[in-house]
Amino acid sequence: MGNINFVKENKEVVAADGANLRLKAMENGIDIYKVWGKMMNCGGAGQCGTCIVEITEGMENLSPLTDVESKILKKSRIIIALLVKP
């Protein structure tokens, strides 16, 4: 088990090992999509990159970047929430 701290929302969420960050955010009323993502997201299929979040600390506790994340992302602290498993 681990805690996820959503800084901008000032909310801390408890997550089981292997939990999906995108789903944990949604379950707790945290909107991770920007305007375009609200209309055009892939619904969790890992294809569009609209659920991107910034990790400010604890990167060592996350699953390794997937091939999709590596291709889409340029900054190491910004990740696709769908693919993260704390």
Side-chain angles (χ1 to χ4, degrees):
M1 289 264 213
N3 292 350
I4 303 169
N5 185 19
F6 293 94
V7 177
K8 290 181 183 176
E9 294 80 6
N10 194 28
K11 192 169 197 175
E12 190 167 320
V13 175
V14 176
D17 290 344
N20 180 290
L21 180 57
R22 176 183 166 272
L23 292 177
K24 291 307 290 183
M26 292 171 57
E27 287 169 3
N28 289 278
I30 297 168
D31 186 7
I32 59 173
Y33 292 107
K34 296 187 184 232
V35 175
W36 178 255
K38 291 177 197 276
M39 297 182 295
M40 303 298 291
N41 73 71
C42 66
Q47 302 298 312
C48 68
T50 59
C51 61
I52 291 174
V53 296
E54 181 177 7
I55 303 300
T56 58
E57 62 182 67
M59 202 58 179
E60 66 280 359
N61 300 316
L62 304 178
S63 54
L65 290 177
T66 65
D67 290 339
V68 172
E69 286 175 311
S70 295
K71 289 178 184 175
I72 293 175
L73 307 171
K74 295 185 176 35
K75 294 182 181 177
S76 63
R77 294 186 333 171
I78 298 179
I79 57 171
I80 299 175
L82 159 72
L83 304 174
V84 173
K85 294 182 170 59

